[in-house]
Amino acid sequence: GKHTVHLDSKTTNVRVEPFALQMGIKFELHVTISGKTINVSEIPVLSIPDDWVRDKLELHFCKPERGGGEIENVEYDKMSRRAVITFLRPE
């Protein structure tokens, strides 16, 4: 539908349209665990924005059934295909 958005002193009209997300991307991760952080390497290059990759990593590693916990930070470097995930508590 149509919406009016107010940002600072400006107003603009926008229209929202549904779009299909690519689902079911599977890949293998290599993980090293140390205290509150884990190092993830060999992350495949995906055709999605970097912040989506960070979100996917956070969602994967926060799940208790996978041994995860509450995440403090996810640092992702696309060039090296590595990420460092820091948990709030060692678990």
Side-chain angles (χ1 to χ4, degrees):
K2 293 182 181 179
H3 299 276
T4 301
V5 178
H6 304 282
L7 298 172
D8 296 326
S9 61
K10 298 180 181 178
T11 302
T12 187
N13 293 318
V14 296
R15 189 174 68 160
V16 178
E17 293 184 9
F19 63 95
L21 292 175
Q22 293 180 353
M23 296 300 213
I25 298 172
K26 290 186 178 183
F27 50 88
E28 182 177 327
L29 300 173
H30 298 264
V31 178
T32 304
I33 302 171
S34 173
K36 285 178 53 172
T37 64
I38 57 174
N39 297 315
V40 183
S41 60
E42 298 184 39
I43 299 170
V45 177
L46 302 171
S47 60
I48 59 175
D50 290 358
D51 57 332
W52 290 14
V53 174
R54 279 189 288 278
D55 290 347
K56 286 184 174 294
L57 289 167
E58 183 171 349
L59 286 170
H60 179 81
F61 287 102
C62 75
K63 295 183 179 180
E65 62 270 17
R66 293 192 175 129
E70 197 170 353
I71 293 177
E72 181 178 324
N73 188 44
V74 177
E75 295 176 28
Y76 168 63
D77 180 36
K78 186 175 189 170
M79 295 300 291
S80 67
R81 298 176 45 212
R82 296 176 178 267
V84 176
I85 299 171
T86 305
F87 294 90
L88 286 176
R89 294 172 298 284
E91 297 182 8

